[in-house]
Amino acid sequence: MSELEDKYADIRPYNDDEVKDSLSRLMNDNAFIDVIAKYNLPRFLSSVPFIARLLVRSQLRKKWGKVTTVEDVQNEVAQYLDKLVKRTTSKVTFSGLDKLDSDQAYLFVSNHRDIVLDPALVNWGLFQHKMKTVRIAIGDNLLQIPYITELMRLNKSFIVKRSAKAPKEMLRALTQLSSYIYDSLMSGNSIWIAQKEGRAKDGFDQTDPALLKMLQLNGRKQKKEFSDYVKELKIVPVSISYQYEPCAIAKAKELYHKQQHGEYIKSAGEDIASIVEGFSAAKGHVHLSFGKPIESGCDSAEELAKTIDKQIVDSFYLHPGNYIAGGCKEQVIDSPDTATFEQRIACVPDELKPLVLAMYAKPFHRKTEIKTKGCEH
């Protein structure tokens, strides 16, 4: 193991020589095996753990027998995503990928609507275009269950220590993260990170300058000017747009609860339920727009945030639901998707309807609202 890898051992994804042991831990994890059984076996079988576990383990041994490297894992994930796209979307489209250099590592900063699907679909687009898949930033709040940690680190995810609270501990964690991202990029590995902590539950996609200040911690250590360091990072904004907002009702419930009670505390397993719903629910047409690398002109985190926002908002693909919720029905009056969208909204509980409609309306309104020019590309 190299010094670089050891330096990040507690946060980095698994290496090839760790894949076999990770798969073995998964095979021996009854909680993981039971989840696979629940979603893949008939109910009469999955309800009998002894038989279900034997069947699932037998299938996994066949399936994983030849999986020995991270690339093998990526190929398995790509096959799964291909099935998922065919089953739960009408189509997934991409723009801007053909303008990127396949030999260059990029820092993809994207809006965030679904916990796992957003980076998974970014990876699927890169995979389709014969580009290297990304290393994925994921909060340690999602890693409370051992098998989730195994799956994420097998799939090129690295850990963002959100649970660090004491100032010194937090600074140490953020400095390590900043350094890891930079070293990954310099070694030819692209990175995906969300533009802010948590999903945009209200449809408002906005970059948190604190994220960009975290990136600069390593630049400051190297005594580099902010604008010069930004140029090195090759930041590419990514705008992800779902025809049907993932987990819309669950997001609206959280927002409604906050309005009524001032705060919302997630129950145990809620994030996992959101991941499962994101994977299984119908998403309609999904579009991912890859922007232009931000090359120069950004002298502060705030300026850079505005520039990323401008690209994400400008390139956000508006679906019929965005126009309808935004009060611009003439754009979609003849669309067969209009009736489908209105049927979906009709199924939303009355107290949540304004919040769900606002989720869809926000990108439409921001297209006209965003005034800032940002800095030059």
Side-chain angles (χ1 to χ4, degrees):
M1 183 178 287
S2 76
E3 186 183 339
L4 174 73
E5 288 163 345
D6 193 53
K7 183 175 159 187
Y8 304 118
D10 57 331
I11 64 167
R12 63 166 174 75
Y14 290 142
N15 297 313
D16 287 348
D17 60 359
E18 295 166 304
V19 168
K20 190 177 175 184
D21 285 346
S22 177
L23 291 176
S24 176
R25 286 191 293 272
L26 283 169
M27 292 279 280
N28 289 304
D29 189 324
N30 284 339
F32 172 67
I33 298 298
D34 291 347
V35 167
I36 299 291
K38 180 181 174 183
Y39 289 104
N40 291 276
L41 294 180
R43 196 168 179 180
F44 74 92
L45 282 175
S46 64
S47 61
V48 185
F50 175 72
I51 296 172
R53 288 170 186 171
L54 276 175
L55 288 169
V56 169
R57 286 192 171 104
S58 171
Q59 287 299 310
L60 288 179
R61 280 192 194 95
K62 286 180 194 170
K63 194 172 181 60
W64 290 352
K66 294 179 182 176
V67 175
T68 58
T69 66
V70 172
E71 189 175 349
D72 291 341
V73 173
Q74 291 290 287
N75 290 332
E76 285 289 320
V77 171
Q79 287 178 40
Y80 174 76
L81 273 174
D82 190 50
K83 289 175 187 169
L84 179 124
V85 163
K86 285 172 180 163
R87 193 175 71 244
T88 70
T89 75
S90 56
K91 60 181 173 179
V92 178
T93 53
F94 303 93
S95 59
L97 268 175
D98 54 332
K99 305 282 197 308
L100 298 178
D101 180 353
S102 59
D103 295 324
Q104 175 65 55
Y106 295 102
L107 173 52
F108 295 106
V109 178
S110 90
N111 62 336
H112 194 26
R113 300 302 183 89
D114 187 90
I115 295 171
V116 173
L117 267 185
D118 293 347
L121 290 172
V122 165
N123 262 345
W124 198 66
L126 294 170
F127 188 84
Q128 300 286 312
H129 285 75
K130 307 287 188 278
M131 293 172 73
K132 272 180 77 172
T133 53
V134 296
R135 292 176 175 176
I136 299 163
I138 188 158
D140 60 2
N141 57 301
L142 296 174
L143 305 179
Q144 308 304 314
I145 300 170
Y147 71 77
I148 296 291
T149 304
E150 294 294 344
L151 289 170
M152 294 298 184
R153 294 184 77 179
L154 268 175
N155 193 34
K156 294 177 73 172
S157 296
F158 60 94
I159 299 166
V160 178
K161 295 176 183 174
R162 288 181 183 165
S163 56
K165 297 299 178 197
K168 280 186 180 177
E169 184 192 7
M170 197 181 296
L171 180 61
R172 193 160 49 245
L174 293 174
T175 302
Q176 181 193 32
L177 180 63
S178 181
S179 178
Y180 176 75
I181 289 170
Y182 180 82
D183 285 348
S184 289
L185 292 167
M186 294 308 112
S187 62
N189 292 282
S190 290
I191 295 283
W192 176 92
I193 195 164
Q195 66 181 164
K196 64 178 180 182
E197 185 179 320
R199 294 166 292 166
K201 299 179 184 75
D202 57 359
F204 190 81
D205 299 317
Q206 189 170 43
T207 306
D208 184 356
L211 166 77
L212 308 178
K213 288 173 183 173
M214 175 277 290
L215 295 174
Q216 167 61 4
L217 285 172
N218 189 62
R220 194 182 302 160
K221 199 165 81 176
Q222 295 181 20
K223 296 185 167 46
K224 291 177 181 172
E225 292 294 325
F226 187 85
S227 57
D228 294 334
Y229 192 67
V230 166
K231 190 172 181 180
E232 272 192 81
L233 295 178
K234 297 282 189 294
I235 294 171
V236 173
V238 181
S239 190
I240 306 174
S241 165
Y242 294 86
Q243 184 173 0
Y244 304 125
E245 182 74 21
C247 307
I249 291 177
K251 289 174 184 175
K253 278 181 182 171
E254 183 173 333
L255 293 172
Y256 183 76
H257 196 276
K258 276 184 183 172
Q259 285 177 0
Q260 299 299 309
H261 305 285
E263 67 170 342
Y264 179 82
I265 299 168
K266 284 184 182 177
S267 58
E270 200 166 324
D271 283 330
I272 306 305
S274 290
I275 290 170
V276 171
E277 185 184 340
F279 274 134
S280 57
K283 288 162 273 293
H285 172 202
V286 187
H287 184 77
L288 288 85
S289 175
F290 290 78
K292 298 174 184 174
I294 296 168
E295 297 275 320
S296 63
C298 292
D299 296 320
S300 70
E302 288 73 21
E303 275 186 36
L304 179 55
K306 285 178 183 175
T307 300
I308 293 169
D309 288 349
K310 179 162 171 48
Q311 282 206 47
I312 286 175
V313 172
D314 281 351
S315 64
F316 188 96
Y317 183 95
L318 293 174
H319 296 285
N322 301 119
Y323 287 109
I324 294 165
C328 188
K329 285 193 179 183
E330 61 268 22
Q331 287 281 343
V332 288
I333 203 73
D334 297 322
S335 170
D337 295 316
T338 304
T340 307
F341 179 76
E342 290 179 340
Q343 283 165 12
R344 290 178 79 90
I345 294 299
C347 297
V348 175
D350 287 344
E351 72 276 12
L352 302 181
K353 270 181 188 155
L355 291 165
V356 172
L357 284 168
M359 262 179 231
Y360 285 97
K362 184 58 75 177
F364 171 79
H365 290 310
R366 285 198 80 208
K367 285 264 192 189
T368 53
E369 283 169 9
I370 196 158
K371 303 291 183 190
T372 183
K373 289 182 180 176
C375 27
E376 298 301 316
H377 306 308

